[in-house]
Amino acid sequence: MNGAVRPASPGELSLLPAIEAASDTLLQDVPGTQPGAVDRLPPPTSEEALHTALQVLVAGRPPQGFARIEEVGTDAHLEQLSVDPRHAGRGVGRALVEAALAWAREQGYPGMTLCTFADVPFNAPFYRSCGFVVIDPEGELARVRENERRLGLDSLGARVAMRKSFEQG
């Protein structure tokens, strides 16, 4: 990876929707998603949403991937993790997750949540390897899942909510 994980600079935010769009292509015909899933995904995160995010971390210079962090309930929430396919499989995603977890711990959050595809190898199984466990979403996280259903994500493949508690290490 070319450069450490760090907060995104304002000038880099305009580069990130293209990384997300490219990353989404990795879902094309992958086990755990329906055929044609890529064509039915919601549009990439807007630059405006990135500007108003709680935190955006990037890996590399120029960015090879990014993590968008929001707050859901009392936890930090990994709203988006995207890695440019040209850099996939090189530890960029794991470095971003580790940095996001470290940031959330430093901010005093009790844990971090996320929602992802259950059966895509580089989604839920990857997050399990990072210490996340599948949970039944409640409260605000249940509303996040309901919004995902309204956006049509559940029709593309099974989805799960996951959490990593910082009390457990």
Side-chain angles (χ1 to χ4, degrees):
M1 180 171 54
N2 179 22
V5 176
R6 59 193 163 66
S9 70
E12 291 173 316
L13 296 178
S14 65
L15 306 173
L16 304 185
I19 291 173
E20 183 176 345
S23 178
D24 285 349
T25 65
L26 294 173
L27 293 171
Q28 186 67 38
D29 301 323
V30 71
T33 62
Q34 296 297 315
V38 170
D39 299 328
R40 298 186 322 238
L41 286 169
T45 306
S46 70
E47 190 176 339
E48 179 182 334
L50 292 164
H51 275 286
T52 61
L54 183 61
Q55 178 66 282
V56 178
L57 301 173
V58 295
R61 288 189 195 273
Q64 300 168 358
F66 74 96
R68 174 182 162 207
I69 305 167
E70 301 291 355
E71 183 177 281
V72 173
T74 60
D75 286 326
H77 181 76
L78 185 59
E79 178 62 31
Q80 183 66 41
L81 178 71
S82 293
V83 175
D84 184 311
R86 295 173 295 176
H87 302 283
R90 298 182 189 169
V92 175
R94 188 167 303 275
L96 284 161
V97 170
E98 289 172 0
L101 290 166
W103 179 88
R105 274 191 206 98
E106 290 167 8
Q107 302 306 307
Y109 287 99
M112 178 173 273
T113 58
L114 58 87
C115 299
T116 193
F117 287 106
D119 302 317
V120 173
F122 49 86
N123 279 196
F126 164 73
Y127 291 117
R128 270 199 267 327
S129 77
C130 295
F132 287 83
V133 296
V134 174
I135 60 168
D136 262 337
E138 298 177 348
E140 288 184 44
L141 188 57
R143 287 188 283 283
V144 169
R145 281 291 300 119
E146 182 54 37
N147 187 54
E148 287 186 344
R149 277 188 275 286
R150 277 194 302 276
L151 290 172
L153 287 174
D154 287 43
S155 70
L156 308 180
R159 302 277 297 169
V160 292
M162 302 182 84
R163 183 174 190 269
K164 180 176 172 78
S165 173
F166 299 146
E167 291 91 40
Q168 297 172 358

